[in-house]
Every structure is written in C-alpha cells, then in structure tokens.
Amino acid sequence: MKHSSQHSLTVLVADDNLLNCQLLNQIIKKLGHDCSFVMNGEEVIEHLQTKPAPDILLMDIHMPVLNGIETLKYMHALNYHSIESYAFTADTSPADIKKYHDLGFSGILPKPLNILDLDEILYLHRNQKQYG
C-alpha cells in the first residue's frame, strides 16, 4: 500500500473528533507525508494565515465554529484556491457528492475511513506535485 514518497506532501486534517485527527495523522505519517491537525474551521483559517499552506486539506463537514462548507467558502474568499480540499464525511449520497463538487471541494474522503482511499488521494497528488 505504501507508495514511494520521495516528494512528500503536507496534509492538514480538520475534524472536531480528536480520535479521527490522531488516526489520520498516524496513517498519513506512516505513508511518508507530513501531517498536522486542527479541530474546527476557524482553526483552519488561522493555520492558513500563520503557517505554510498544506498541499491537501482533509476537512470534516460537520464541525463546530465554522463547518467544512463555511470554511471552504471563507478560504476561497481569502484566495486559498490552490489547496486541494477534500470533504471528509459520511454524507456520501450522489446528491451530497455533487454538492461538494459544486462548492469547490476536490473530492470526498468517505467516513468511515478506508485507508486505500486515503492512499490513492495522496498518491495522485504526490505524482501531480512531482510531475506537474
């Protein structure tokens, strides 16, 4: 499962469930990438304004303070369009997937987490970063 990660990615996880954050952090690091996490959308914005932008943002849709949709809209208003943002959610009906795509999410990472789905997202973006 672990793809070669000569060109590692930076991933920001935003989820109000600490266990989800810790699990994703551990898996992403084992896959050879850098990871940090925050607990709500307001912390996402603060992170983006004070630290280097991540390559990928995995964001829960149902967070307190600013939910995932509000956070993505706020990010776009602040011109953070280049960050690949994925909805990390159990809301995976075709209508939900279309809604997230229309709002500007790059895709979804379904809950419960399937490590192969996560690995595929990271692999594709690593290659995109490596080969342009």
Side-chain angles (χ1 to χ4, degrees), residues 16-93:
D16 60 316
N17 182 317
L18 183 59
L19 185 59
N20 284 342
C21 289
Q22 292 171 331
L23 177 65
L24 280 166
N25 184 44
Q26 188 175 38
I27 293 168
I28 290 165
K29 287 182 176 180
K30 282 188 178 185
L31 292 172
H33 303 285
D34 297 320
C35 184
S36 54
F37 61 86
V38 296
M39 304 296 291
N40 63 58
E42 188 174 86
E43 291 179 7
V44 169
I45 301 303
E46 181 180 318
H47 183 94
L48 295 177
Q49 293 175 331
T50 60
K51 297 186 169 100
D55 297 304
I56 297 175
L57 170 61
L58 303 176
M59 186 161 47
D60 182 22
I61 294 299
H62 303 289
M63 296 182 293
V65 186
L66 279 178
N67 68 38
I69 292 170
E70 293 165 337
T71 302
L72 187 69
K73 288 178 181 178
Y74 200 86
M75 288 171 54
H76 287 175
L78 295 173
N79 288 319
Y80 289 107
H81 297 282
S82 64
I83 300 169
E84 298 289 341
S85 301
Y86 284 81
F88 181 45
T89 181
D91 303 334
T92 59
S93 73

Coordinates of all heavy atoms in Angstrom, one line a residue, residues 16-93:
D16 N -13.5 17.8 14.3 CA -13.7 18.0 15.7 C -13.6 16.7 16.6 O -13.7 16.8 17.8 CB -15.0 18.7 15.9 CG -16.2 17.9 15.4 OD1 -16.1 17.3 14.3 OD2 -17.2 17.8 16.1
N17 N -13.4 15.6 15.9 CA -13.2 14.3 16.6 C -11.7 14.1 16.8 O -11.1 13.8 15.8 CB -13.9 13.2 15.9 CG -13.8 11.9 16.6 OD1 -12.8 11.5 17.1 ND2 -14.9 11.2 16.6
L18 N -11.2 14.2 18.0 CA -9.8 14.1 18.2 C -9.3 12.7 17.8 O -8.2 12.6 17.2 CB -9.4 14.3 19.7 CG -8.0 14.3 20.0 CD1 -7.1 15.3 19.2 CD2 -7.8 14.5 21.5
L19 N -10.1 11.7 18.0 CA -9.6 10.3 17.5 C -9.4 10.2 16.0 O -8.5 9.7 15.6 CB -10.7 9.3 18.0 CG -10.3 7.8 17.8 CD1 -9.0 7.5 18.4 CD2 -11.4 6.9 18.3
N20 N -10.4 10.8 15.3 CA -10.2 10.9 13.8 C -8.9 11.6 13.4 O -8.2 11.2 12.5 CB -11.4 11.6 13.1 CG -12.6 10.7 13.1 OD1 -12.6 9.5 13.2 ND2 -13.7 11.4 12.8
C21 N -8.6 12.7 14.1 CA -7.4 13.5 13.8 C -6.2 12.7 14.1 O -5.3 12.6 13.3 CB -7.4 14.8 14.6 SG -8.6 16.1 14.1
Q22 N -6.2 12.1 15.2 CA -5.0 11.3 15.6 C -4.8 10.1 14.7 O -3.6 9.8 14.3 CB -5.1 10.8 17.1 CG -5.0 12.0 18.0 CD -5.3 11.6 19.5 OE1 -6.1 10.7 19.7 NE2 -4.7 12.3 20.4
L23 N -5.9 9.4 14.3 CA -5.8 8.3 13.4 C -5.3 8.7 12.0 O -4.3 8.1 11.5 CB -7.2 7.6 13.2 CG -7.2 6.4 12.3 CD1 -6.4 5.3 12.8 CD2 -8.7 6.0 12.1
L24 N -5.8 9.8 11.5 CA -5.4 10.2 10.2 C -3.9 10.7 10.2 O -3.1 10.4 9.3 CB -6.3 11.4 9.6 CG -7.6 10.9 9.0 CD1 -8.5 12.1 8.8 CD2 -7.3 10.3 7.7
N25 N -3.6 11.4 11.3 CA -2.2 11.9 11.5 C -1.2 10.7 11.4 O -0.2 10.7 10.7 CB -2.1 12.7 12.8 CG -0.8 13.3 13.0 OD1 -0.2 13.9 12.1 ND2 -0.3 13.2 14.2
Q26 N -1.6 9.7 12.2 CA -0.7 8.5 12.3 C -0.6 7.8 10.9 O 0.5 7.4 10.5 CB -1.2 7.5 13.3 CG -0.3 6.4 13.6 CD -0.9 5.5 14.8 OE1 -2.1 5.3 14.9 NE2 0.0 5.1 15.6
I27 N -1.7 7.6 10.2 CA -1.7 6.9 8.9 C -0.9 7.7 7.9 O -0.1 7.2 7.1 CB -3.1 6.6 8.5 CG1 -3.8 5.6 9.4 CG2 -3.1 6.1 7.0 CD1 -5.3 5.5 9.2
I28 N -1.2 9.0 7.8 CA -0.6 9.9 6.8 C 1.0 9.9 7.0 O 1.7 9.8 6.1 CB -1.2 11.3 6.9 CG1 -2.6 11.2 6.3 CG2 -0.3 12.3 6.1 CD1 -3.4 12.5 6.6
K29 N 1.4 9.9 8.3 CA 2.8 9.9 8.5 C 3.4 8.6 8.2 O 4.5 8.5 7.6 CB 3.1 10.3 10.0 CG 2.9 11.8 10.2 CD 3.2 12.2 11.7 CE 3.1 13.7 11.8 NZ 3.3 14.2 13.1
K30 N 2.7 7.5 8.4 CA 3.2 6.1 8.0 C 3.3 6.0 6.5 O 4.1 5.2 6.0 CB 2.3 5.0 8.6 CG 2.6 4.8 10.1 CD 1.9 3.6 10.6 CE 2.3 3.3 12.0 NZ 1.7 2.1 12.6
L31 N 2.5 6.8 5.8 CA 2.5 6.7 4.3 C 3.6 7.7 3.8 O 3.8 7.8 2.6 CB 1.2 7.1 3.8 CG 0.0 6.1 4.0 CD1 -1.3 6.6 3.6 CD2 0.3 4.8 3.3
G32 N 4.4 8.3 4.7 CA 5.5 9.1 4.3 C 5.3 10.6 4.1 O 6.1 11.3 3.4
H33 N 4.2 11.1 4.6 CA 3.8 12.5 4.4 C 3.8 13.2 5.7 O 3.7 12.6 6.8 CB 2.5 12.6 3.7 CG 2.5 11.9 2.4 ND1 3.1 12.4 1.2 CD2 2.0 10.7 2.0 CE1 3.0 11.5 0.3 NE2 2.3 10.5 0.7
D34 N 3.8 14.6 5.7 CA 3.7 15.4 6.8 C 2.3 15.7 7.1 O 1.5 15.9 6.2 CB 4.5 16.7 6.6 CG 6.0 16.5 6.4 OD1 6.6 15.6 7.1 OD2 6.6 17.2 5.6
C35 N 1.9 15.8 8.4 CA 0.5 16.0 8.7 C 0.4 16.8 10.0 O 1.2 16.7 10.9 CB -0.2 14.6 9.0 SG -1.9 14.8 9.3
S36 N -0.6 17.7 10.0 CA -0.9 18.4 11.2 C -2.5 18.4 11.3 O -3.1 18.1 10.3 CB -0.3 19.8 11.3 OG -0.7 20.5 10.1
F37 N -3.0 18.7 12.4 CA -4.5 18.7 12.5 C -5.0 19.9 13.4 O -4.3 20.4 14.2 CB -5.0 17.4 13.0 CG -4.6 16.9 14.3 CD1 -5.3 17.4 15.5 CD2 -3.5 16.1 14.5 CE1 -4.9 16.9 16.7 CE2 -3.2 15.6 15.8 CZ -3.9 16.1 16.9
V38 N -6.2 20.3 13.1 CA -6.9 21.3 13.8 C -8.3 20.8 14.1 O -8.8 19.8 13.5 CB -7.0 22.6 13.0 CG1 -5.6 23.2 12.9 CG2 -7.7 22.5 11.7
M39 N -9.1 21.4 15.0 CA -10.3 20.9 15.4 C -11.6 21.6 14.9 O -12.7 21.1 15.1 CB -10.4 20.9 17.0 CG -9.2 20.2 17.7 SD -9.2 18.4 17.4 CE -10.6 17.9 18.3
N40 N -11.4 22.7 14.1 CA -12.6 23.3 13.6 C -12.2 24.3 12.4 O -11.0 24.5 12.2 CB -13.4 24.1 14.6 CG -12.6 25.2 15.3 OD1 -12.1 26.1 14.6 ND2 -12.5 25.1 16.6
G41 N -13.1 24.8 11.7 CA -12.9 25.6 10.6 C -12.1 26.9 10.9 O -11.3 27.4 10.1
E42 N -12.4 27.5 12.1 CA -11.7 28.7 12.4 C -10.2 28.5 12.6 O -9.4 29.3 12.2 CB -12.3 29.3 13.8 CG -11.8 30.6 14.2 CD -12.5 31.1 15.4 OE1 -12.1 30.8 16.5 OE2 -13.5 31.8 15.2
E43 N -9.9 27.3 13.1 CA -8.5 26.9 13.3 C -7.9 26.6 11.9 O -6.7 26.8 11.8 CB -8.4 25.7 14.2 CG -8.7 26.0 15.7 CD -8.6 24.9 16.6 OE1 -8.1 23.8 16.2 OE2 -9.0 25.0 17.8
V44 N -8.6 26.2 10.9 CA -8.1 26.0 9.6 C -7.7 27.4 9.1 O -6.5 27.5 8.6 CB -9.2 25.4 8.6 CG1 -8.7 25.5 7.2 CG2 -9.5 24.0 9.0
I45 N -8.5 28.4 9.2 CA -8.2 29.7 8.6 C -7.0 30.3 9.4 O -6.1 30.8 8.7 CB -9.4 30.6 8.8 CG1 -10.6 30.1 8.0 CG2 -9.1 32.1 8.3 CD1 -10.4 29.8 6.5
E46 N -6.9 30.1 10.7 CA -5.8 30.6 11.5 C -4.5 29.9 11.0 O -3.5 30.5 10.8 CB -6.0 30.3 13.0 CG -4.9 30.8 13.8 CD -5.2 30.6 15.3 OE1 -6.3 30.8 15.8 OE2 -4.3 30.1 16.0
H47 N -4.6 28.6 10.8 CA -3.4 27.8 10.3 C -3.0 28.3 9.0 O -1.8 28.5 8.8 CB -3.8 26.3 10.2 CG -2.7 25.4 9.8 ND1 -1.9 24.8 10.7 CD2 -2.2 25.1 8.6 CE1 -1.0 24.1 10.1 NE2 -1.2 24.2 8.8
L48 N -3.9 28.6 8.1 CA -3.5 29.0 6.7 C -2.9 30.4 6.8 O -2.0 30.7 6.0 CB -4.7 29.1 5.8 CG -5.4 27.7 5.5 CD1 -6.6 27.9 4.7 CD2 -4.4 26.8 4.8
Q49 N -3.3 31.2 7.7 CA -2.8 32.6 7.8 C -1.4 32.7 8.5 O -0.8 33.7 8.4 CB -3.8 33.5 8.4 CG -5.0 33.7 7.6 CD -6.1 34.5 8.2 OE1 -6.3 34.5 9.4 NE2 -6.9 35.2 7.4
T50 N -1.1 31.7 9.3 CA 0.2 31.7 10.1 C 1.2 30.7 9.7 O 2.3 30.8 10.2 CB -0.2 31.6 11.6 OG1 -0.8 30.3 11.8 CG2 -1.1 32.7 12.0
K51 N 0.9 29.7 8.9 CA 1.8 28.7 8.6 C 1.8 28.4 7.0 O 0.9 28.9 6.4 CB 1.4 27.4 9.3 CG 1.5 27.5 10.8 CD 1.2 26.2 11.5 CE 1.6 26.3 12.9 NZ 0.6 26.5 13.9
P52 N 2.8 27.8 6.5 CA 2.8 27.5 5.1 C 1.6 26.7 4.7 O 1.1 25.8 5.5 CB 4.1 26.6 4.9 CG 5.0 27.0 6.0 CD 4.1 27.3 7.2
A53 N 1.0 27.0 3.6 CA -0.2 26.3 3.1 C 0.1 24.8 2.9 O 1.1 24.4 2.3 CB -0.7 26.9 1.8
P54 N -0.8 23.9 3.3 CA -0.7 22.5 3.0 C -1.0 22.2 1.5 O -1.6 23.0 0.8 CB -1.7 21.8 3.9 CG -2.8 22.9 4.0 CD -2.1 24.2 4.0
D55 N -0.5 21.0 1.1 CA -0.8 20.6 -0.3 C -2.3 20.1 -0.3 O -3.0 20.3 -1.3 CB 0.1 19.4 -0.7 CG 1.5 19.9 -0.8 OD1 1.8 20.8 -1.5 OD2 2.4 19.3 -0.1
I56 N -2.7 19.5 0.8 CA -4.1 18.8 0.8 C -4.7 19.2 2.2 O -4.0 19.1 3.2 CB -4.0 17.3 0.7 CG1 -3.4 16.9 -0.7 CG2 -5.3 16.6 0.9 CD1 -3.2 15.5 -0.9
L57 N -6.0 19.5 2.1 CA -6.8 19.7 3.3 C -7.9 18.6 3.4 O -8.7 18.5 2.4 CB -7.4 21.1 3.3 CG -8.5 21.4 4.4 CD1 -7.9 21.3 5.8 CD2 -9.1 22.8 4.1
L58 N -7.9 17.8 4.4 CA -9.0 16.8 4.6 C -9.9 17.4 5.7 O -9.5 17.5 6.9 CB -8.4 15.5 5.1 CG -7.4 14.8 4.1 CD1 -6.8 13.6 4.8 CD2 -8.0 14.6 2.8
M59 N -11.1 17.8 5.3 CA -11.9 18.6 6.2 C -13.3 17.9 6.5 O -14.1 17.7 5.6 CB -12.1 20.0 5.7 CG -12.8 20.9 6.5 SD -12.6 22.7 6.1 CE -12.8 22.7 4.4
D60 N -13.6 17.7 7.8 CA -14.9 17.3 8.2 C -15.9 18.3 7.8 O -15.7 19.5 7.9 CB -14.9 17.1 9.7 CG -16.2 16.5 10.3 OD1 -17.0 15.9 9.5 OD2 -16.4 16.7 11.5
I61 N -17.1 17.9 7.4 CA -18.2 18.8 7.0 C -18.9 19.4 8.2 O -19.2 20.5 8.3 CB -19.2 18.1 6.0 CG1 -18.5 17.8 4.7 CG2 -20.4 19.0 5.8 CD1 -18.0 19.0 4.0
H62 N -19.1 18.5 9.2 CA -19.9 18.9 10.4 C -19.0 19.2 11.6 O -18.9 18.4 12.6 CB -20.8 17.8 10.8 CG -21.7 17.4 9.6 ND1 -22.7 18.2 9.2 CD2 -21.7 16.3 8.8 CE1 -23.3 17.6 8.2 NE2 -22.7 16.5 7.9
M63 N -18.3 20.4 11.6 CA -17.5 20.9 12.7 C -18.2 22.1 13.4 O -18.9 22.8 12.7 CB -16.1 21.3 12.2 CG -15.3 20.2 11.6 SD -13.7 20.9 11.1 CE -14.1 22.0 9.7
P64 N -17.8 22.3 14.6 CA -18.3 23.5 15.3 C -17.6 24.7 14.9 O -16.6 24.6 14.2 CB -18.1 23.2 16.8 CG -16.9 22.3 16.8 CD -17.0 21.4 15.5
V65 N -18.0 25.9 15.2 CA -17.5 27.2 15.0 C -17.6 27.6 13.5 O -18.5 28.4 13.2 CB -16.0 27.3 15.4 CG1 -15.5 28.8 15.2 CG2 -15.8 26.9 16.8
L66 N -16.9 27.0 12.6 CA -17.1 27.1 11.2 C -17.1 25.6 10.6 O -16.2 24.9 10.8 CB -15.9 27.8 10.5 CG -15.9 29.3 10.4 CD1 -14.6 29.8 9.7 CD2 -17.1 29.9 9.8
N67 N -18.2 25.3 10.0 CA -18.3 23.9 9.4 C -17.4 23.8 8.1 O -16.9 24.8 7.7 CB -19.7 23.4 9.2 CG -20.4 24.2 8.1 OD1 -19.9 24.5 7.1 ND2 -21.7 24.4 8.3
G68 N -17.3 22.7 7.6 CA -16.5 22.5 6.4 C -16.9 23.3 5.2 O -16.0 23.9 4.5
I69 N -18.2 23.4 5.0 CA -18.6 24.2 3.8 C -18.4 25.7 4.0 O -17.8 26.4 3.1 CB -20.1 24.0 3.6 CG1 -20.3 22.5 3.1 CG2 -20.7 24.9 2.6 CD1 -21.8 22.0 3.0
E70 N -18.7 26.2 5.2 CA -18.4 27.6 5.5 C -16.9 27.9 5.4 O -16.5 29.0 4.9 CB -18.9 28.0 6.9 CG -20.4 27.9 7.1 CD -20.8 27.9 8.5 OE1 -20.0 27.5 9.4 OE2 -22.0 28.3 8.8
T71 N -16.1 27.0 5.9 CA -14.6 27.2 5.9 C -14.1 27.2 4.5 O -13.3 28.1 4.1 CB -13.9 26.0 6.7 OG1 -14.4 26.0 8.0 CG2 -12.4 26.2 6.7
L72 N -14.6 26.3 3.6 CA -14.2 26.4 2.2 C -14.5 27.7 1.5 O -13.7 28.3 0.8 CB -14.7 25.2 1.4 CG -14.2 25.0 0.0 CD1 -12.7 24.6 0.0 CD2 -15.0 24.0 -0.8
K73 N -15.7 28.2 1.8 CA -16.2 29.4 1.2 C -15.3 30.6 1.7 O -14.9 31.4 0.9 CB -17.6 29.7 1.6 CG -18.6 28.8 0.8 CD -20.1 29.1 1.3 CE -21.0 28.2 0.5 NZ -22.4 28.5 1.0
Y74 N -15.0 30.6 3.0 CA -14.1 31.6 3.6 C -12.7 31.5 3.0 O -12.1 32.5 2.6 CB -14.0 31.4 5.1 CG -13.6 32.6 5.8 CD1 -14.5 33.6 6.2 CD2 -12.2 32.7 6.2 CE1 -14.1 34.7 6.9 CE2 -11.8 33.8 6.9 CZ -12.7 34.8 7.3 OH -12.3 35.9 8.0
M75 N -12.2 30.3 2.8 CA -10.9 30.1 2.1 C -10.8 30.6 0.7 O -9.9 31.3 0.3 CB -10.5 28.6 2.1 CG -10.2 27.9 3.4 SD -10.1 26.1 3.3 CE -8.9 25.9 2.0
H76 N -11.9 30.4 0.0 CA -11.9 30.9 -1.4 C -12.0 32.4 -1.4 O -11.4 33.1 -2.2 CB -13.1 30.3 -2.2 CG -12.9 28.9 -2.5 ND1 -13.8 28.1 -3.1 CD2 -11.8 28.1 -2.4 CE1 -13.4 26.9 -3.3 NE2 -12.1 26.8 -2.9
A77 N -12.7 33.0 -0.4 CA -12.8 34.5 -0.3 C -11.4 35.1 0.0 O -11.1 36.2 -0.4 CB -13.8 34.9 0.8
L78 N -10.6 34.3 0.7 CA -9.2 34.7 1.0 C -8.2 34.3 0.0 O -7.0 34.4 0.2 CB -8.8 34.2 2.4 CG -9.6 34.7 3.6 CD1 -9.3 34.0 4.9 CD2 -9.4 36.2 3.7
N79 N -8.7 33.8 -1.2 CA -7.8 33.3 -2.3 C -6.9 32.1 -2.0 O -5.8 32.0 -2.5 CB -7.0 34.5 -2.8 CG -7.8 35.5 -3.6 OD1 -8.7 35.1 -4.3 ND2 -7.6 36.7 -3.4
Y80 N -7.4 31.2 -1.2 CA -6.7 29.9 -0.9 C -7.3 28.9 -1.9 O -7.8 27.8 -1.4 CB -6.9 29.5 0.5 CG -6.1 30.3 1.5 CD1 -6.7 31.2 2.4 CD2 -4.7 30.2 1.6 CE1 -6.0 32.0 3.2 CE2 -4.0 31.0 2.5 CZ -4.6 31.9 3.3 OH -3.9 32.6 4.2
H81 N -7.3 29.1 -3.2 CA -7.8 28.2 -4.2 C -6.9 27.1 -4.5 O -7.4 26.0 -5.0 CB -8.2 29.0 -5.5 CG -9.2 30.1 -5.3 ND1 -10.5 29.8 -5.2 CD2 -9.0 31.4 -5.2 CE1 -11.2 31.0 -5.0 NE2 -10.3 32.0 -5.0
S82 N -5.6 27.2 -4.3 CA -4.7 26.2 -4.8 C -4.6 25.0 -3.8 O -4.0 24.0 -4.2 CB -3.3 26.8 -4.9 OG -2.8 27.2 -3.7
I83 N -5.2 25.0 -2.7 CA -5.2 23.9 -1.7 C -6.2 22.9 -2.2 O -7.4 23.2 -2.3 CB -5.4 24.4 -0.3 CG1 -4.3 25.4 0.1 CG2 -5.4 23.2 0.6 CD1 -4.7 26.1 1.4
E84 N -5.8 21.6 -2.4 CA -6.7 20.6 -2.7 C -7.5 20.2 -1.4 O -6.9 19.7 -0.5 CB -5.9 19.3 -3.2 CG -5.2 19.6 -4.5 CD -6.0 19.8 -5.7 OE1 -7.2 19.4 -5.7 OE2 -5.5 20.3 -6.7
S85 N -8.8 20.5 -1.4 CA -9.6 20.3 -0.2 C -10.6 19.2 -0.5 O -11.3 19.2 -1.4 CB -10.4 21.6 0.1 OG -9.5 22.7 0.3
Y86 N -10.6 18.2 0.5 CA -11.4 17.1 0.4 C -12.4 17.1 1.6 O -12.0 17.3 2.7 CB -10.6 15.8 0.4 CG -10.0 15.5 -0.9 CD1 -8.7 16.1 -1.2 CD2 -10.5 14.6 -1.8 CE1 -8.1 15.9 -2.4 CE2 -9.9 14.4 -3.0 CZ -8.7 15.0 -3.3 OH -8.1 14.8 -4.5
A87 N -13.7 16.8 1.3 CA -14.7 16.7 2.3 C -14.5 15.3 2.9 O -14.6 14.3 2.3 CB -16.1 16.8 1.7
F88 N -14.2 15.3 4.2 CA -14.1 14.1 5.0 C -15.4 13.9 5.7 O -15.6 14.5 6.8 CB -12.9 14.2 5.9 CG -12.6 13.0 6.8 CD1 -12.6 11.7 6.2 CD2 -12.3 13.1 8.1 CE1 -12.3 10.6 7.0 CE2 -12.0 12.0 8.9 CZ -12.0 10.7 8.3
T89 N -16.2 13.0 5.2 CA -17.6 13.0 5.6 C -18.3 11.6 5.4 O -17.9 10.9 4.5 CB -18.4 14.1 4.9 OG1 -19.8 14.1 5.4 CG2 -18.4 13.9 3.4
A90 N -19.3 11.4 6.2 CA -20.2 10.2 6.0 C -21.3 10.5 5.0 O -22.1 9.6 4.6 CB -20.7 9.7 7.3
D91 N -21.5 11.8 4.7 CA -22.5 12.2 3.7 C -22.0 12.0 2.3 O -21.4 12.8 1.7 CB -22.8 13.7 3.9 CG -23.2 14.1 5.3 OD1 -23.7 13.2 6.0 OD2 -23.0 15.2 5.7
T92 N -22.4 10.8 1.8 CA -21.8 10.4 0.5 C -22.9 10.0 -0.5 O -22.6 9.2 -1.5 CB -20.8 9.2 0.7 OG1 -21.6 8.1 1.3 CG2 -19.7 9.6 1.6
S93 N -24.1 10.5 -0.4 CA -25.1 10.2 -1.4 C -24.6 10.9 -2.7 O -23.8 11.9 -2.7 CB -26.4 10.8 -1.0 OG -26.4 12.2 -1.0

